[in-house]
């Protein structure tokens, strides 16, 4: 695992800046490309200004992410036009979704690389540095075997890393374009995942955040059956790991045996990200989700009953085509009843080429925005109450960074908080360092966040 920039050869191939957008799965792709480039003598720099090239690994999940990706690309091409950067290479989901059209739409882009051309980034960089214009795009078919994510040059803090256990998705949710960009579900073998986890631990990782498009589907395509329980047990044996966290668990395939495996693990923290999207049966059917309200509530009861101290994160879509006032109110009441510790709310985004585009009952943007605001307001009250209930409790916190605003203050996370998407805990204490796990007493709240003091020596 390449954490430090490798020694530059006497004549380095060139310098490159890297911009990674989107989800943790995309970040793993970015780190893989960084590692490949650095391993071949390209020198990463933090500032695009003056770099030979800048690589933008894009997101195209929803319209707002596509607009963000295009804005960053144009920012880089503007720098190129001013002579501040040599060239611009666009990779990732937006490139995959748009194909060669991305160069037609933004002509100052030098090269475009699709999701599955990721491992050819060195060849692309070589062609750019050699001035070749004969092949400006790399788009490869969906692989039958999951791509390797070893030898990454990580950009996360040293003590945590994302571990991608599969690629693609076999779901047919009518609102989602991810299968068009990422292809069908392809499982990584258990052996390869464990080897990658061990490599990450040797690089200083104490917390692994397990990600995929559909975590609970793991293994079905490769082994003929879901093998997530076996993977959990194997990860639990990796020496040097302290925390393992699971994101993106689709409700299907969650049963008593899986919940008990999570709950009995020595290292899996009591936290689960399970995107639900809605709760009304008719909306769920139009979304082509494979569970209904009764099944969802049964799964939630099972999780709460069998997994002590569980913190649940979920996401919802409001304003889906045909969503009535009554159906939204049902969702609002469900959120209030369930009191999820963490939740995100998206407004429905029209995704070209998805079945939902053809549904009747598309709603005005102002209606979607109003529903989002109401649901988030309800969730805010729940989250504030959860935070307040922790005052006086003693918790373990992993330190992520120095608090830049206060002396002898640090920013960390409890077991209930995933990096970058959840709340933080401010820790008052001396001689702490990122990556340490410290016992704290919560003494106050700061909106969603906690304020605490260290009460034991870190470990």
């Amino acid at each position: 695992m390449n954490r430090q920039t490798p020694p530059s050869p006497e004549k380095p191939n060139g310098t490159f800046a890297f911009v990674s957008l989107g989800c943790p799965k995309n970040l793993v792709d970015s780190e893989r490309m960084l590692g490949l480039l650095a391993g071949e003598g390209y020198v990463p720099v933090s500032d695009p200004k003056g770099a030979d090239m800048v690589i933008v690994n894009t997101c195209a999940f929803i319209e707002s992410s596509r607009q963000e990706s295009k804005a960053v690309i144009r920012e880089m091409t503007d720098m190129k036009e001013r002579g501040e950067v040599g060239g611009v290479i666009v990779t990732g989901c937006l490139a995959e979704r748009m194909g060669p059209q991305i160069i037609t739409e933004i002509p100052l882009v030098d090269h475009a690389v699709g999701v599955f051309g990721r491992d050819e980034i060195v060849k692309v960089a070589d062609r750019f540095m050699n001035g070749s214009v004969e092949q400006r795009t790399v788009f490869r078919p969906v692989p039958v075997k999951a791509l390797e994510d070893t030898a990454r040059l990580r950009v996360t803090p040293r003590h945590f890393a994302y571990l991608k256990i599969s690629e693609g998705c076999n779901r047919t949710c009518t609102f989602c374009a991810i299968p068009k960009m990422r292809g069908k579900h392809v499982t990584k073998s258990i052996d390869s995942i464990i080897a990658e986890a061990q490599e990450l631990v040797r690089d200083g990782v104490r917390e692994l955040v397990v990600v995929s498009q559909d975590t609970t589907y793991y293994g079905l395509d490769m082994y003929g059956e879901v093998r997530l329980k076996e993977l959990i047990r194997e990860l639990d044996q990796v020496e040097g790991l302290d925390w393992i966290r699971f994101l993106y668990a689709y409700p299907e395939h969650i049963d008593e045996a899986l919940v008990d495996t999570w709950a009995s693990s020595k290292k899996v923290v009591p936290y689960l990200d399970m995107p639900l999207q809605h709760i009304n049966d008719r909306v769920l059917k139009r979304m082509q989700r494979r569970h209904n309200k009764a099944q969802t509530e049964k799964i939630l009861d099972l999780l709460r009953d069998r997994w002590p101290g569980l913190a649940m994160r979920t996401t919802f879509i409001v304003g889906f085509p045909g969503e009535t006032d009554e159906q939204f109110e049902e969702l609002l009441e469900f959120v209030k009843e369930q009191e999820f510790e963490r939740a995100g709310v998206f407004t429905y985004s029209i995704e070209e080429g998805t079945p939902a585009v053809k549904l009747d009952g598309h709603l005005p943007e102002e209606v979607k925005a109003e529903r989002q605001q109401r649901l988030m307001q309800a969730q805010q009250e729940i989250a504030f109450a959860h935070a307040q209930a922790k005052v006086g409790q003693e918790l373990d916190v992993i330190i992520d960074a120095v608090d830049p605003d206060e002396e002898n203050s640090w920013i960390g996370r409890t077991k209930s908080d995933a990096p970058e998407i959840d709340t933080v805990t401010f820790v008052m204490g001396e001689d702490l360092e990122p990556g340490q796990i410290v016992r704290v007493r919560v003494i106050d709240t700061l909106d969603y966040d906690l304020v605490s003091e260290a009460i034991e020596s870190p470990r």
Side-chain angles (χ1 to χ4, degrees):
M1 185 67 58
N2 300 317
R3 281 259 349 142
Q4 304 297 326
T5 302
S8 301
E10 291 184 10
K11 293 182 179 180
N13 287 338
T15 59
F16 71 98
F18 205 106
V19 180
S20 185
L21 304 172
C23 67
K25 299 176 287 292
N26 217 36
L27 183 63
V28 172
D29 291 340
S30 296
E31 292 176 341
R32 170 68 172 175
M33 286 187 279
L34 280 160
L36 291 171
L37 287 162
E40 291 299 319
Y42 285 95
V43 180
V45 294
S46 58
D47 188 352
K49 193 171 184 179
D52 290 313
M53 70 190 99
V54 59
I55 300 167
V56 183
N57 194 27
T58 57
C59 178
F61 175 49
I62 55 178
E63 179 60 25
S64 59
S65 61
R66 291 192 292 277
Q67 293 304 319
E68 179 190 14
S69 292
K70 289 181 180 180
V72 172
I73 294 167
R74 289 195 170 96
E75 180 185 354
M76 296 301 115
T77 55
D78 287 347
M79 292 182 68
K80 174 186 172 182
E81 203 165 27
R82 295 193 299 267
E84 296 173 348
V85 65
V88 179
I89 299 172
V90 176
T91 67
C93 289
L94 184 65
E96 185 71 33
R97 187 161 184 172
M98 293 184 67
Q101 182 189 346
I102 194 166
I103 293 180
T104 303
E105 184 174 320
I106 311 176
L108 286 173
V109 168
D110 295 277
H111 293 268
V113 182
V115 168
F116 302 110
R118 179 197 76 175
D119 286 357
E120 297 180 50
I121 189 63
V122 173
K123 293 179 181 178
V124 174
D126 289 346
R127 284 199 292 272
F128 168 74
M129 293 298 292
N130 292 331
S132 173
V133 295
E134 293 179 359
Q135 183 181 350
R136 297 178 62 192
T137 62
V138 177
F139 295 99
R140 297 291 181 245
V142 179
V144 296
K145 182 180 179 181
L147 298 175
E148 290 291 330
D149 293 319
T150 54
R152 286 147 53 187
L153 179 60
R154 289 196 293 113
V155 297
T156 56
R158 183 179 178 87
H159 57 278
F160 77 80
Y162 296 102
L163 180 68
K164 187 162 59 172
I165 63 173
S166 63
E167 186 58 85
C169 184
N170 282 11
R171 303 293 175 188
T172 56
C173 302
T174 57
F175 55 83
C176 184
I178 286 176
K180 294 180 179 295
M181 295 178 282
R182 292 278 181 174
K184 291 187 176 182
H185 185 105
V186 184
T187 289
K188 282 185 187 177
S189 70
I190 291 177
D191 288 346
S192 66
I193 291 172
I194 297 305
E196 185 179 341
Q198 291 169 337
E199 182 184 59
L200 289 164
V201 169
R202 288 194 296 270
D203 192 44
V205 167
R206 302 187 69 177
E207 177 184 6
L208 279 181
V209 184
V210 177
V211 297
S212 70
Q213 301 295 343
D214 183 358
T215 304
T216 49
Y217 192 91
Y218 175 80
L220 192 57
D221 58 311
M222 176 177 283
Y223 301 107
E225 61 180 353
V226 175
R227 295 286 294 275
L228 187 58
K229 296 188 296 295
E230 289 85 346
L231 177 61
I232 293 167
R233 287 193 284 266
E234 291 293 325
L235 284 172
D236 211 37
Q237 301 303 312
V238 175
E239 293 185 7
L241 273 182
D242 292 276
W243 292 3
I244 305 171
R245 187 182 304 276
F246 282 81
L247 304 188
Y248 315 128
Y250 194 94
E252 193 175 14
H253 303 303
I254 294 180
D255 55 18
E256 287 188 9
L258 176 58
V259 175
D260 287 345
T261 303
W262 271 324
S264 62
S265 164
K266 301 186 298 291
K267 298 177 181 180
V268 173
V269 297
Y271 175 102
L272 187 65
D273 182 310
M274 185 172 71
L276 295 176
Q277 312 306 1
H278 214 279
I279 198 58
N280 174 266
D281 284 345
R282 185 169 184 273
V283 175
L284 288 169
K285 187 174 182 179
R286 282 166 70 89
M287 288 180 168
Q288 209 157 305
R289 303 286 283 179
R290 299 179 189 176
H291 56 281
N292 58 30
K293 182 177 183 177
Q295 292 167 330
T296 300
E297 291 178 331
K298 184 177 180 180
I299 291 169
L300 290 169
D301 288 345
L302 172 66
L303 285 162
R304 297 291 194 189
D305 180 59
R306 306 288 279 262
W307 199 350
L310 176 65
M312 282 287 304
R313 163 169 276 280
T314 190
T315 51
F316 297 107
I317 296 173
V318 295
F320 191 75
E323 182 190 56
T324 65
D325 289 339
E326 292 76 17
Q327 290 165 348
F328 170 73
E329 293 295 335
E330 183 180 352
L331 174 61
L332 182 62
E333 288 306 308
F334 171 75
V335 169
K336 292 178 179 178
E337 290 169 4
Q338 290 292 330
E339 296 184 340
F340 296 103
E341 286 80 3
R342 314 280 183 254
V345 182
F346 295 91
T347 58
Y348 167 71
S349 171
I350 295 175
E351 299 300 311
E352 184 179 348
T354 61
V357 172
K358 299 179 181 179
L359 293 175
D360 59 356
H362 283 264
L363 300 174
E365 292 300 321
E366 57 269 24
V367 172
K368 293 189 279 187
E370 187 267 342
R371 290 179 181 177
Q372 180 189 41
Q373 183 177 13
R374 287 185 62 197
L375 195 58
M376 283 304 299
Q377 179 60 44
Q379 177 59 32
Q380 182 185 71
E381 294 176 8
I382 294 166
F384 282 6
H386 279 305
Q388 190 63 45
K390 292 186 181 297
V391 174
Q393 292 186 17
E394 295 182 6
L395 305 170
D396 285 336
V397 170
I398 191 164
I399 302 298
D400 283 335
V402 175
D403 182 354
D405 299 322
E406 295 288 341
E407 187 177 356
N408 292 327
S409 179
W410 307 79
I411 299 172
R413 290 173 292 107
T414 70
K415 293 179 179 179
S416 300
D417 299 295
E420 301 174 332
I421 57 173
D422 289 325
T423 63
V424 301
T425 298
F426 294 96
V427 179
M428 292 183 291
E430 296 182 0
D431 301 324
L432 301 180
E433 295 180 3
Q436 292 177 331
I437 296 175
V438 60
R439 192 73 173 171
V440 307
R441 180 180 294 106
V442 181
I443 58 175
D444 202 355
T445 65
L446 190 60
D447 296 331
Y448 293 96
D449 300 323
L450 303 178
V451 180
S452 69
E453 57 185 6
I455 57 174
E456 294 179 9
S457 299
R459 57 188 191 277

